[in-house]
């Protein structure tokens, strides 16, 4: 099986990525050839004895800045290798950055459906802006916080995309029922329960033991709506704006709001 989803990661810390290529469902899928990841160390594209990839910022200030040349040469090497293969579709160059667009499920779905990406993991105080201007297709962030480098964000993005590939999960319906999925109208998932039926006095909801499929579906929808309304009301507004909420959904939400005010 040849993988069509390929990630090339430019990073100073390649061993980090064994966590996704060797462990769990993503590791199994990697071993099966459903996807691939290659790491590229920018130090390998330097010429000085110290393999220097950073320098002091012009204008002064704290920290160090990653240099253009090693990163650019790494990107060129990746592109040359991809083009020498059968990757006809060019891959985007993604910079993991706190200034980027926040990553979400829709982006994970788009990533899984495409050829993958060249992912640039910055370190130190930042990356020379000239590299960003010349090569970066998209800047992506996990949220409004700063990490020590882009590796953790890259791992999260790859995991989110790989698990959506056909056959990666034991049951493909698992991905369909994920929070934020279009099949759930972009809402949060409902609560889940398993054995034992009663634990420390807490019982599984009776509806889930009833065997009545239609009632279970309705209960789960209401639970999903309530969880989203309480935890992420912004997702309710997004779903409403896209016309994903039914009249029954809106009535349930209205009742929720009314009960909450009493």
């Amino acid at each position: 099986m040849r993988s069509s989803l390929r990630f090339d990661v430019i990073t100073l810390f390649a061993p980090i990525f064994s966590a996704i290529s060797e462990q769990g469902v993503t590791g199994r899928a990697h071993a099966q050839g459903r996807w691939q990841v290659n790491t590229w160390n920018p130090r390998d594209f330097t010429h000085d004895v110290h393999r220097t990839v950073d320098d002091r910022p012009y204008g002064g200030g704290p920290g160090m800045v990653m240099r253009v040349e090693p990163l650019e040469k790494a990107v060129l090497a990746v592109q040359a290798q991809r083009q020498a293969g059968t990757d006809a579709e060019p891959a985007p160059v993604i910079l993991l950055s706190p200034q980027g667009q926040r990553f979400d499920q829709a982006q994970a779905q788009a990533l899984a459906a495409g050829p993958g990406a060249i992912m640039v993991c910055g370190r130190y105080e930042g990356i020379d802006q000239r590299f960003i201007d010349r090569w970066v297709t998209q800047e992506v962030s996990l949220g409004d916080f700063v990490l020590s480098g882009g590796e953790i964000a890259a791992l999260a993005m790859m995991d989110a995309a790989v698990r959506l590939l056909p056959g990666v999960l034991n049951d493909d319906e698992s991905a369909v029922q994920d929070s934020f999925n279009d099949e759930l109208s972009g809402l949060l998932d409902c609560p889940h329960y398993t054995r034992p039926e009663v634990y420390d006095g807490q019982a599984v909801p009776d509806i889930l033991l009833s065997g009545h499929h239609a009632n279970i579906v309705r209960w789960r929808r209401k639970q999903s709506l309530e969880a989203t309304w309480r935890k992420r009301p912004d997702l309710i507004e997004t779903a409403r704006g896209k016309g994903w909420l039914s009249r029954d959904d809106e009535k349930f939400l209205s009742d929720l709001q009314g009960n909450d005010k009493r």
Side-chain angles (χ1 to χ4, degrees):
M1 178 187 300
R2 182 187 176 276
S3 166
S4 60
L5 183 63
R6 167 177 170 170
F7 293 104
D8 291 278
V9 187
I10 299 174
T11 173
L12 295 172
F13 301 97
I16 290 175
F17 292 90
S18 64
I20 193 170
S21 64
E22 298 178 8
Q23 307 293 327
V25 294
T26 56
R28 183 176 65 242
H30 186 266
Q32 293 171 344
R34 297 183 185 276
W35 71 287
Q36 61 175 302
V37 57
N38 306 298
T39 56
W40 304 74
N41 191 333
R43 295 193 189 280
D44 295 335
F45 300 91
T46 59
H47 302 290
D48 64 299
V49 66
H50 299 295
R51 305 175 76 205
T52 306
V53 296
D54 61 314
D55 211 331
R56 297 182 182 279
Y58 280 118
M64 304 290 277
V65 176
M66 294 191 76
R67 297 171 54 225
V68 177
E69 187 178 13
L71 294 173
E72 181 170 80
K73 288 184 175 180
V75 168
L76 289 170
V78 173
Q79 289 182 331
Q81 188 184 92
R82 293 181 73 111
Q83 291 169 4
T86 57
D87 296 310
E89 186 177 352
V93 178
I94 296 176
L95 173 64
L96 289 312
S97 163
Q99 296 187 22
Q101 179 183 1
R102 186 174 296 182
F103 188 70
D104 59 19
Q105 189 70 10
Q107 290 189 58
Q109 292 167 343
L111 202 55
I118 301 170
M119 309 181 87
V120 182
C121 300
R123 285 273 164 172
Y124 312 117
E125 188 67 21
I127 291 178
D128 192 306
Q129 184 63 38
R130 290 169 294 186
F131 172 80
I132 299 173
D133 293 341
R134 289 163 65 94
W135 293 104
V136 172
T137 307
Q138 181 182 11
E139 294 185 59
V140 177
S141 170
L142 291 189
D144 296 339
F145 53 90
V146 179
L147 298 168
S148 299
E151 286 78 12
I152 292 175
L155 284 170
M157 290 178 62
M158 287 190 286
D159 183 275
V162 169
R163 67 189 304 278
L164 297 176
L165 296 176
V168 170
L169 301 179
N170 289 330
D171 185 345
D172 287 342
E173 286 297 308
S174 294
V176 172
Q177 295 301 318
D178 283 340
S179 294
F180 314 113
N181 195 287
D182 289 356
E183 294 292 327
L184 284 181
S185 304
L187 306 177
L188 301 182
D189 197 3
C190 65
H192 297 279
Y193 299 85
T194 188
R195 294 174 180 167
E197 187 175 323
V198 179
Y199 179 76
D200 196 23
Q202 290 182 291
V204 174
D206 290 339
I207 186 66
L208 298 178
L209 308 175
S210 69
H212 196 299
H213 180 70
N215 287 346
I216 291 173
V217 168
R218 283 193 289 270
W219 180 86
R220 284 176 169 164
R221 179 66 175 186
K222 290 179 178 179
Q223 291 293 308
S224 176
L225 285 162
E226 182 170 1
T228 308
W229 179 71
R230 296 192 184 281
K231 299 175 183 179
R232 289 290 304 276
D234 58 303
L235 297 178
I236 294 288
E237 293 306 317
T238 299
R240 183 174 285 137
K242 292 184 177 182
W244 285 347
L245 300 184
S246 68
R247 289 183 179 179
D248 287 343
D249 291 338
E250 292 288 9
K251 182 179 184 307
F252 178 74
L253 290 169
S254 178
D255 291 343
L256 267 181
Q257 188 173 6
N259 292 334
D260 193 63
K261 290 178 179 178
R262 287 198 287 268

